[in-house]
């Protein structure tokens, strides 16, 4: 039994190394521009050795997206409403520590706008499900009185705008790694939530907004 564990453990480790290399290569060159040979070179194995784990580039991309999805699920919050929306900061902090993760996601999000792209269905469904999930969290916050009442159609626009803001700020950070992306996102998230509550951020404590605004 002990003898069988060694090769198995080594195989699992090699598979993970390939996935990590694929994340970097696809994040830098895109799925279209990246190649199995580039990934094999980065791992330090032959292309023939790599395809024993992943027979083609599409199967490698599928495994990478599945792992990315599992990692994001682990960072999901358990408390409903605003607490879950504030939990988006956990994802931002993770991306700062794992730059390749957000490089991959944003690169694929752009490439996958092409319906023929192998990640198109995954990325489209991911955005759809994520927006629906956080819309549910905002509606829960409205129902519990955490934020001011708003129509569901208005809440949907708020979540769409929040996702656009997060992606835009992370693109700015990729272009300027010296930017403090955590503080940038925290500021805009706090400002958005304050507006939902009917307050606005000032130099000190939040200030009540004028009636009707």
């Amino acid at each position: 039994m002990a003898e069988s564990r060694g090769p198995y453990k080594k195989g699992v480790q090699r598979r993970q190394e390939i996935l990590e290399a694929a994340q970097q290569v696809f994040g830098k060159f895109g799925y279209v521009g990246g190649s199995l040979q580039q990934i094999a070179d980065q791992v330090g194995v032959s292309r023939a050795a790599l395809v024993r784990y992943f027979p083609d580039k599409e199967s490698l991309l599928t495994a990478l997206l599945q792992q990315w999805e599992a990692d994001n699920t682990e960072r999901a919050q358990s408390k409903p409403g605003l607490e879950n929306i504030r939990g988006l900061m956990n994802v931002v902090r993770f991306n700062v520590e794992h730059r390749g993760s957000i490089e991959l996601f944003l690169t694929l999000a752009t490439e996958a706008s092409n319906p023929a792209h192998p990640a198109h269905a995954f990325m489209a469904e991911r955005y759809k499900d994520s927006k629906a999930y956080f819309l549910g969290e905002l509606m829960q916050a409205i129902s519990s009185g955490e934020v001011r009442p708003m129509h569901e159609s208005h809440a949907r626009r708020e979540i769409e705008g929040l996702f656009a803001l997060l992606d835009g700020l992370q693109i700015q950070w990729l272009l300027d790694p010296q930017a403090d992306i955590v503080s940038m996102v925290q500021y805009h998230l706090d400002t958005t939530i304050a507006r939902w509550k009917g307050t606005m951020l000032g130099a000190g404590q939040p200030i009540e907004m004028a009636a009707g605004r």
Side-chain angles (χ1 to χ4, degrees), residues 14-15 17-19 21-22 26 35-57 59-60:
R14 177 67 75 195
R15 186 178 189 277
E17 289 173 353
I18 293 171
L19 287 172
F26 291 159
S35 69
L36 290 181
Q37 187 61 59
Q38 288 172 303
I39 296 167
D41 290 345
Q42 186 150 325
V43 177
V45 299
S46 67
R47 189 179 186 282
L50 186 149
V51 297
R52 287 203 294 268
Y53 294 90
F54 300 99
D56 51 41
K57 196 163 66 165
S59 65
L60 178 51

Side-chain angles (χ1 to χ4, degrees), residues 6 42 51 60 70 96 105 114-115 126-127 135 165 180 182 200 212:
Q42 186 150 325
V51 297
L60 178 51
V96 169
F105 176 78
N114 181 351
R126 171 66 185 175
Y127 267 105
L135 172 61
L165 174 69
D180 187 353
V182 173
M200 57 187 297

Side-chain angles (χ1 to χ4, degrees), residues 49-200:
L50 186 149
V51 297
R52 287 203 294 268
Y53 294 90
F54 300 99
D56 51 41
K57 196 163 66 165
E58 187 168 340
S59 65
L60 178 51
L61 177 63
T62 298
L64 195 56
L65 292 174
Q66 289 172 343
Q67 178 173 282
W68 180 83
E69 179 73 5
D71 287 345
N72 275 280
T73 300
E74 279 187 18
R75 289 187 292 279
Q77 298 290 301
S78 57
K79 296 181 180 179
L82 282 186
E83 194 65 27
N84 232 337
I85 295 174
R86 290 191 179 99
L88 286 167
M89 289 304 305
N90 293 335
V91 177
V92 175
R93 293 187 184 97
F94 177 87
N95 289 341
V96 169
E97 297 174 1
H98 304 82
R99 180 184 171 92
S101 178
I102 191 60
E103 282 183 325
L104 172 69
F105 176 78
L106 293 175
T107 298
L108 288 179
T110 302
E111 276 191 348
S113 61
N114 181 351
H117 194 285
H120 175 79
F122 178 92
M123 297 302 289
E125 196 66 22
R126 171 66 185 175
Y127 267 105
K128 178 183 176 181
D129 290 347
S130 296
K131 288 188 291 185
Y133 175 79
F134 282 101
L135 172 61
E137 296 304 303
L138 179 52
M139 295 305 295
Q140 169 66 28
I142 294 168
S143 177
S144 65
E146 287 185 278
V147 301
R148 294 183 304 172
M150 68 177 83
H151 192 274
E152 183 175 341
S153 61
H154 183 102
R156 182 176 293 106
R157 295 292 178 260
E158 289 286 334
I159 293 300
E160 290 169 348
L162 182 58
F163 269 65
L165 174 69
L166 289 172
D167 285 353
L169 288 175
Q170 290 182 115
I171 289 172
Q172 289 184 45
W173 174 66
L174 290 179
L175 294 172
D176 178 14
Q178 300 305 312
D180 187 353
I181 180 65
V182 173
S183 293
M184 291 163 63
V185 174
Q186 187 73 70
Y187 169 80
H188 286 286
L189 186 59
D190 288 346
T191 301
T192 298
I193 291 175
R195 179 167 52 77
W196 290 347
K197 287 185 170 185
T199 61
M200 57 187 297

